[in-house]
mmCIF file with all atom_site columns, all heavy atoms in Angstrom:
data_model
loop_
_atom_site.group_PDB
_atom_site.id
_atom_site.type_symbol
_atom_site.label_atom_id
_atom_site.label_alt_id
_atom_site.label_comp_id
_atom_site.label_asym_id
_atom_site.label_entity_id
_atom_site.label_seq_id
_atom_site.pdbx_PDB_ins_code
_atom_site.Cartn_x
_atom_site.Cartn_y
_atom_site.Cartn_z
_atom_site.occupancy
_atom_site.B_iso_or_equiv
_atom_site.pdbx_formal_charge
_atom_site.auth_seq_id
_atom_site.auth_comp_id
_atom_site.auth_asym_id
_atom_site.auth_atom_id
_atom_site.pdbx_PDB_model_num
ATOM 1  N N   . SER A 1 68 ? 24.342 -8.316  -27.046 1.00 61.00 ? 68 SER A N   1
ATOM 2  C CA  . SER A 1 68 ? 25.367 -7.303  -26.898 1.00 61.00 ? 68 SER A CA  1
ATOM 3  C C   . SER A 1 68 ? 26.740 -7.954  -27.161 1.00 61.00 ? 68 SER A C   1
ATOM 4  O O   . SER A 1 68 ? 27.725 -7.634  -26.517 1.00 61.00 ? 68 SER A O   1
ATOM 5  C CB  . SER A 1 68 ? 25.339 -6.710  -25.458 1.00 61.00 ? 68 SER A CB  1
ATOM 6  O OG  . SER A 1 68 ? 25.479 -7.749  -24.519 1.00 61.00 ? 68 SER A OG  1
ATOM 7  N N   . GLY A 1 69 ? 26.786 -8.839  -28.131 1.00 63.00 ? 69 GLY A N   1
ATOM 8  C CA  . GLY A 1 69 ? 28.023 -9.563  -28.436 1.00 63.00 ? 69 GLY A CA  1
ATOM 9  C C   . GLY A 1 69 ? 28.177 -10.742 -27.528 1.00 63.00 ? 69 GLY A C   1
ATOM 10 O O   . GLY A 1 69 ? 27.607 -10.794 -26.469 1.00 63.00 ? 69 GLY A O   1
ATOM 11 N N   . GLY A 1 70 ? 28.959 -11.732 -27.957 1.00 64.00 ? 70 GLY A N   1
ATOM 12 C CA  . GLY A 1 70 ? 29.142 -12.917 -27.111 1.00 64.00 ? 70 GLY A CA  1
ATOM 13 C C   . GLY A 1 70 ? 27.900 -13.735 -27.109 1.00 64.00 ? 70 GLY A C   1
ATOM 14 O O   . GLY A 1 70 ? 27.050 -13.654 -28.021 1.00 64.00 ? 70 GLY A O   1
ATOM 15 N N   . ARG A 1 71 ? 27.689 -14.516 -26.059 1.00 65.00 ? 71 ARG A N   1
ATOM 16 C CA  . ARG A 1 71 ? 26.521 -15.415 -26.013 1.00 65.00 ? 71 ARG A CA  1
ATOM 17 C C   . ARG A 1 71 ? 25.266 -14.666 -25.560 1.00 65.00 ? 71 ARG A C   1
ATOM 18 O O   . ARG A 1 71 ? 25.328 -13.814 -24.715 1.00 65.00 ? 71 ARG A O   1
ATOM 19 C CB  . ARG A 1 71 ? 26.795 -16.537 -24.992 1.00 65.00 ? 71 ARG A CB  1
ATOM 20 C CG  . ARG A 1 71 ? 26.886 -17.877 -25.694 1.00 65.00 ? 71 ARG A CG  1
ATOM 21 C CD  . ARG A 1 71 ? 27.375 -18.976 -24.785 1.00 65.00 ? 71 ARG A CD  1
ATOM 22 N NE  . ARG A 1 71 ? 26.524 -19.104 -23.599 1.00 65.00 ? 71 ARG A NE  1
ATOM 23 C CZ  . ARG A 1 71 ? 26.889 -19.744 -22.525 1.00 65.00 ? 71 ARG A CZ  1
ATOM 24 N NH1 . ARG A 1 71 ? 28.092 -20.253 -22.449 1.00 65.00 ? 71 ARG A NH1 1
ATOM 25 N NH2 . ARG A 1 71 ? 26.087 -19.896 -21.490 1.00 65.00 ? 71 ARG A NH2 1
ATOM 26 N N   . ARG A 1 72 ? 24.175 -14.984 -26.193 1.00 68.00 ? 72 ARG A N   1
ATOM 27 C CA  . ARG A 1 72 ? 22.926 -14.348 -25.754 1.00 68.00 ? 72 ARG A CA  1
ATOM 28 C C   . ARG A 1 72 ? 22.442 -14.946 -24.471 1.00 68.00 ? 72 ARG A C   1
ATOM 29 O O   . ARG A 1 72 ? 22.351 -16.159 -24.340 1.00 68.00 ? 72 ARG A O   1
ATOM 30 C CB  . ARG A 1 72 ? 21.816 -14.589 -26.822 1.00 68.00 ? 72 ARG A CB  1
ATOM 31 C CG  . ARG A 1 72 ? 22.052 -13.787 -28.085 1.00 68.00 ? 72 ARG A CG  1
ATOM 32 C CD  . ARG A 1 72 ? 21.068 -14.310 -29.174 1.00 68.00 ? 72 ARG A CD  1
ATOM 33 N NE  . ARG A 1 72 ? 21.429 -13.741 -30.467 1.00 68.00 ? 72 ARG A NE  1
ATOM 34 C CZ  . ARG A 1 72 ? 20.699 -12.769 -31.050 1.00 68.00 ? 72 ARG A CZ  1
ATOM 35 N NH1 . ARG A 1 72 ? 19.608 -12.309 -30.466 1.00 68.00 ? 72 ARG A NH1 1
ATOM 36 N NH2 . ARG A 1 72 ? 21.055 -12.286 -32.204 1.00 68.00 ? 72 ARG A NH2 1
ATOM 37 N N   . PRO A 1 73 ? 22.185 -14.098 -23.440 1.00 71.00 ? 73 PRO A N   1
ATOM 38 C CA  . PRO A 1 73 ? 21.771 -14.678 -22.141 1.00 71.00 ? 73 PRO A CA  1
ATOM 39 C C   . PRO A 1 73 ? 20.335 -15.167 -22.184 1.00 71.00 ? 73 PRO A C   1
ATOM 40 O O   . PRO A 1 73 ? 19.503 -14.580 -22.853 1.00 71.00 ? 73 PRO A O   1
ATOM 41 C CB  . PRO A 1 73 ? 21.918 -13.486 -21.178 1.00 71.00 ? 73 PRO A CB  1
ATOM 42 C CG  . PRO A 1 73 ? 21.756 -12.289 -22.062 1.00 71.00 ? 73 PRO A CG  1
ATOM 43 C CD  . PRO A 1 73 ? 22.235 -12.633 -23.423 1.00 71.00 ? 73 PRO A CD  1
ATOM 44 N N   . VAL A 1 74 ? 20.131 -16.262 -21.477 1.00 83.00 ? 74 VAL A N   1
ATOM 45 C CA  . VAL A 1 74 ? 18.737 -16.754 -21.334 1.00 83.00 ? 74 VAL A CA  1
ATOM 46 C C   . VAL A 1 74 ? 18.170 -16.077 -20.091 1.00 83.00 ? 74 VAL A C   1
ATOM 47 O O   . VAL A 1 74 ? 18.820 -16.059 -19.029 1.00 83.00 ? 74 VAL A O   1
ATOM 48 C CB  . VAL A 1 74 ? 18.716 -18.282 -21.147 1.00 83.00 ? 74 VAL A CB  1
ATOM 49 C CG1 . VAL A 1 74 ? 17.329 -18.764 -20.890 1.00 83.00 ? 74 VAL A CG1 1
ATOM 50 C CG2 . VAL A 1 74 ? 19.281 -18.976 -22.370 1.00 83.00 ? 74 VAL A CG2 1
ATOM 51 N N   . LEU A 1 75 ? 16.972 -15.512 -20.231 1.00 90.00 ? 75 LEU A N   1
ATOM 52 C CA  . LEU A 1 75 ? 16.399 -14.826 -19.103 1.00 90.00 ? 75 LEU A CA  1
ATOM 53 C C   . LEU A 1 75 ? 15.478 -15.778 -18.335 1.00 90.00 ? 75 LEU A C   1
ATOM 54 O O   . LEU A 1 75 ? 15.002 -16.759 -18.865 1.00 90.00 ? 75 LEU A O   1
ATOM 55 C CB  . LEU A 1 75 ? 15.622 -13.600 -19.577 1.00 90.00 ? 75 LEU A CB  1
ATOM 56 C CG  . LEU A 1 75 ? 16.401 -12.568 -20.336 1.00 90.00 ? 75 LEU A CG  1
ATOM 57 C CD1 . LEU A 1 75 ? 15.529 -11.356 -20.696 1.00 90.00 ? 75 LEU A CD1 1
ATOM 58 C CD2 . LEU A 1 75 ? 17.616 -12.069 -19.509 1.00 90.00 ? 75 LEU A CD2 1
ATOM 59 N N   . LEU A 1 76 ? 15.231 -15.449 -17.061 1.00 92.00 ? 76 LEU A N   1
ATOM 60 C CA  . LEU A 1 76 ? 14.320 -16.228 -16.239 1.00 92.00 ? 76 LEU A CA  1
ATOM 61 C C   . LEU A 1 76 ? 13.159 -15.387 -15.842 1.00 92.00 ? 76 LEU A C   1
ATOM 62 O O   . LEU A 1 76 ? 13.280 -14.181 -15.574 1.00 92.00 ? 76 LEU A O   1
ATOM 63 C CB  . LEU A 1 76 ? 15.040 -16.704 -14.967 1.00 92.00 ? 76 LEU A CB  1
ATOM 64 C CG  . LEU A 1 76 ? 16.283 -17.573 -15.206 1.00 92.00 ? 76 LEU A CG  1
ATOM 65 C CD1 . LEU A 1 76 ? 16.964 -17.895 -13.897 1.00 92.00 ? 76 LEU A CD1 1
ATOM 66 C CD2 . LEU A 1 76 ? 15.920 -18.869 -15.950 1.00 92.00 ? 76 LEU A CD2 1
ATOM 67 N N   . LYS A 1 77 ? 11.995 -16.015 -15.789 1.00 91.00 ? 77 LYS A N   1
ATOM 68 C CA  . LYS A 1 77 ? 10.817 -15.292 -15.279 1.00 91.00 ? 77 LYS A CA  1
ATOM 69 C C   . LYS A 1 77 ? 10.011 -16.206 -14.393 1.00 91.00 ? 77 LYS A C   1
ATOM 70 O O   . LYS A 1 77 ? 10.114 -17.439 -14.512 1.00 91.00 ? 77 LYS A O   1
ATOM 71 C CB  . LYS A 1 77 ? 9.982  -14.706 -16.394 1.00 91.00 ? 77 LYS A CB  1
ATOM 72 C CG  . LYS A 1 77 ? 9.217  -15.705 -17.201 1.00 91.00 ? 77 LYS A CG  1
ATOM 73 C CD  . LYS A 1 77 ? 8.365  -14.950 -18.224 1.00 91.00 ? 77 LYS A CD  1
ATOM 74 C CE  . LYS A 1 77 ? 7.147  -15.736 -18.620 1.00 91.00 ? 77 LYS A CE  1
ATOM 75 N NZ  . LYS A 1 77 ? 5.883  -15.371 -18.349 1.00 91.00 ? 77 LYS A NZ  1
ATOM 76 N N   . ALA A 1 78 ? 9.214  -15.615 -13.515 1.00 89.00 ? 78 ALA A N   1
ATOM 77 C CA  . ALA A 1 78 ? 8.418  -16.412 -12.593 1.00 89.00 ? 78 ALA A CA  1
ATOM 78 C C   . ALA A 1 78 ? 7.240  -17.040 -13.355 1.00 89.00 ? 78 ALA A C   1
ATOM 79 O O   . ALA A 1 78 ? 6.714  -16.450 -14.304 1.00 89.00 ? 78 ALA A O   1
ATOM 80 C CB  . ALA A 1 78 ? 7.907  -15.550 -11.467 1.00 89.00 ? 78 ALA A CB  1
ATOM 81 N N   . ASN A 1 79 ? 6.843  -18.249 -12.944 1.00 90.00 ? 79 ASN A N   1
ATOM 82 C CA  . ASN A 1 79 ? 5.641  -18.866 -13.519 1.00 90.00 ? 79 ASN A CA  1
ATOM 83 C C   . ASN A 1 79 ? 4.427  -18.267 -12.809 1.00 90.00 ? 79 ASN A C   1
ATOM 84 O O   . ASN A 1 79 ? 4.216  -18.527 -11.640 1.00 90.00 ? 79 ASN A O   1
ATOM 85 C CB  . ASN A 1 79 ? 5.687  -20.353 -13.309 1.00 90.00 ? 79 ASN A CB  1
ATOM 86 C CG  . ASN A 1 79 ? 4.430  -21.050 -13.711 1.00 90.00 ? 79 ASN A CG  1
ATOM 87 O OD1 . ASN A 1 79 ? 3.535  -20.411 -14.296 1.00 90.00 ? 79 ASN A OD1 1
ATOM 88 N ND2 . ASN A 1 79 ? 4.324  -22.341 -13.421 1.00 90.00 ? 79 ASN A ND2 1
#
Side-chain angles (χ1 to χ4, degrees):
S68 56
R71 246 171 58 197
R72 288 168 190 254
V74 176
L75 301 183
L76 301 176
K77 71 176 206 114
N79 173 7

